[in-house]
Amino acid sequence: MSATARATLGWLWPLVGTAYLVYLALQPPPVRYVGLLCLAVVGPLMIGWLAGGILGVGPWAGE
């Protein structure tokens, strides 16, 4: 795998994982509760990751 493809796929993993948790949260219980609980934990981390990548603030900000 090329370095460019690895960097692109590495950047997409958090988005794919969060999309999957949203999918789980939209399913009938008890899977819904697992998805919502995981989103409650991952949501703030995802917001921080996006803020670092887009706004350049926080621990995930590029140098």
Side-chain angles (χ1 to χ4, degrees), residues 1-51:
M1 183 181 295
S2 70
T4 304
R6 185 179 304 270
T8 302
L9 290 175
W11 185 82
L12 287 175
W13 272 119
L15 299 175
V16 170
T18 304
Y20 180 67
L21 291 177
V22 169
Y23 167 76
L24 287 180
L26 296 175
Q27 297 303 307
V31 177
R32 174 179 299 159
Y33 306 132
V34 172
L36 290 173
L37 182 64
C38 290
L39 278 174
V41 173
V42 173
L45 295 172
M46 185 65 175
I47 291 170
W49 181 76
L50 286 173

